[in-house]
Each structure stands twice: as C-alpha cells, then as structure tokens.
Amino acid sequence: MLEIKNLSKNFGGFTALSDILLNVEPGERLGLIGPNGSGKTTLINCISGLIQDYQGEVYFNGENLNSLVAHKRARRGISRSFQIPKPFTSMTVRQNLLIPLEYAVRADDLQGISIEEQADKIIDDLDLNEKSNQLTSGLTQIEMRKLELARAMAVKPKVLISDEAMAGLSSSEVDDILKILITLNETTRITIIMIEHIMRAVMSFSERVICLDAGRIIANGTPDEVIKTPAVEKAYLGE
Ligand SMILES: Nc1ncnc2c1ncn2[C@@H]1O[C@H](COP(=O)(O)OP(=O)(O)OP(=O)(O)O)[C@@H](O)[C@H]1O
Ligand SMILES: [Mg+2]
C-alpha cells in the first residue's frame, strides 16, 4: 500500500534519513521507534509531503507521490497528527473537524451522511462528546491529543500516522488513547503508524515495529524480535 524506496534526506551537510526501504500493508498497525533525533518525524514529513526535497520515492497504492504537495497526499488518504497539536483555537472542537471534512469528503462518498454527522461520529469515536461545542483553548492535554487525532481522522485517511500522541500523558490516559487507536484500526481497517517513545504502548499496539537510529532502519520485525535486537538496545542505552 505504502512503499518507500531508497528515501534519503539531508539538512545541509547533515544526513537525517539514509536509504530507507519500507513497505506498509493495508490495515497494518506499525510502530516506529528510535531515540531522539533518529529521523522518525522527518520520515513522516517526507511521506506526508511536508518535506518534498528528499531523494528516493514514496508510492501509495502504486502511485508515485513525489510531485504531490501535502494537501494532495492527504486527499489520497495519508493523514498525520503533529507532535505539537495545532488546532484552530478560536473554534470549537466540532468546527475544527468540519474544515478538514469539507476538504476531504467528496459529494459522491457522503453516502447520505452529512459532514456534520461525520464530525459527530469522529467526536464520538475519539470520546470528545462533552467538549464538542467548546473552544479548543479550554481543552486539557489529553483532550488536545484526542482532538489532534480527530482532526487527522477528519481527512478520511487510509493511513493515519500518529506522532507521539501519548507524550506527557498519565498511564491511564495512555491506555485511553491506545484503546481508541486500536478500535479505529479494527473497525475501519485503516493502517496506523504509531511513532512513540512509550515502549509499553507501542509494543502492545504494534503488529510490527521498525526502529530507526541515526536515519537508518536498524530493526524491522515483531515487537518481541525488535526489542531483543542488540542494535536496538545499544541505540537506546548507548555503548
Ligand atoms: N528542518 C530541519 N533542519 C535541520 N535539521 C533538522 C530539521 N528537522 C530535523 N532535523 C534534524 O534531523 C534529525 C532527525 O530529526 P527528527 O525530528 O526526524 O527526529 P525524531 O526521531 O522525530 O526525534 P524525536 O523523538 O525527538 O521527535 C535531528 O538531528 C534533527 O535535529
Ligand atoms: Mg519526532
């Protein structure tokens, strides 16, 4: 579904990603781990089109995306949440979803369900019912994270990429987000790529885990296999 071929990205003389080769399957739950600065967000930026001046190729359902800007890639079905949530703070939770929905939903795939009803469905899926008509400026941290995921879902993605949606949350809040993401994956069969530093969360979520270190993939396998890879341990703990 998503094919990344020989992707490299330099910032000046610094190599952030080096020759990344990766296939992601439909409906897969993929974890992306790696120490700070290993290139996780940069990889997502290249896939989603926020960065376009990379070397290599990004294919989605057989189409080469290289020449497409971010909003066109979103239209194809690639959606990502940001590490730092960026909602429209002068709008309510619901209004924040109507904007991407207006953009993403074509008249022919409304299937008799209005944009407003679709917003309410996402609000329900993300467990934001009580905040639906509140301004986002008054949201708590976990509500902000849920809204960030809701906004990504409002693009009607085939692939949802979540960039550290759980950072800074309590253990029970982490469980909340985990449950929401697993339910979304099981009910809609969308592919979810989870970038996460919270090992417990990413290991229980993922069917497959990839570990980046200094811009290279150093492990690719089941959570158990990856966690037991000596290079992964070394990347996290140092020599
Ligand atoms: N716009 C940029 N200009 C220059 N260097 C950058 C830029 N964006 C990222 N980098 C560098 O590229 C490397 C990879 O950064 P990236 O944000 O992808 O890491 P990450 O794995 O997401 O880290 P974290 O876990 O801290 O979020 C880092 O060394 C970072 O400083
Ligand atoms: Mg990052």
Side-chain angles (χ1 to χ4, degrees), residues 34-42 44-45 80 83 163-164 195 197:
N36 293 116
S38 56
K40 303 179 296 297
T41 299
T42 303
I44 292 333
N45 287 343
R80 55 89 60 89
Q83 215 163 339
D163 196 353
E164 296 197 36
I195 300 183
H197 280 295

Side-chain angles (χ1 to χ4, degrees), residues 66-190:
N66 279 17
S67 63
L68 298 183
V69 295
H71 69 91
K72 292 203 168 141
R73 297 189 194 198
R75 261 239 154 117
R76 299 292 195 280
I78 298 177
S79 180
R80 55 89 60 89
S81 71
F82 285 88
Q83 215 163 339
I84 297 162
K86 298 171 183 169
F88 302 108
T89 49
S90 61
M91 293 181 181
T92 67
V93 165
R94 196 161 180 269
Q95 285 166 340
N96 262 277
L97 301 190
L98 293 176
I99 294 169
L101 275 168
E102 287 282 358
Y103 176 74
V105 176
R106 286 166 297 273
D108 58 348
D109 63 31
L110 268 177
Q111 295 163 342
I113 310 165
S114 70
I115 299 263
E116 287 75 15
E117 285 170 304
Q118 301 209 22
D120 289 336
K121 166 82 170 72
I122 296 170
I123 285 168
D124 196 47
D125 286 346
L126 274 294
D127 194 21
L128 283 166
N129 287 304
E130 286 174 21
K131 304 288 166 159
S132 179
N133 294 312
Q134 294 198 17
L135 292 182
T136 68
S137 48
L139 297 183
T140 64
Q141 193 180 21
I142 180 158
E143 289 161 354
M144 207 63 130
R145 297 303 169 99
K146 288 180 181 175
L147 173 62
E148 184 63 13
L149 290 170
R151 293 172 77 226
M153 284 304 291
V155 181
K156 311 231 106 194
K158 299 186 178 82
V159 180
L160 172 70
I161 307 170
S162 129
D163 196 353
E164 296 197 36
M166 303 174 185
L169 300 182
S170 74
S171 175
S172 71
E173 290 171 336
V174 166
D175 289 339
D176 276 359
I177 301 276
L178 258 185
K179 199 167 144 224
I180 286 169
L181 289 176
I182 290 174
T183 304
L184 280 176
N185 168 260
E186 286 175 347
T187 56
T188 65
R189 296 311 300 156
I190 59 169

Side-chain angles (χ1 to χ4, degrees), residues 220-235:
N220 179 355
T222 65
D224 264 1
E225 287 165 358
V226 167
I227 207 89
K228 285 182 190 142
T229 304
V232 172
E233 202 175 325
K234 206 164 109 185

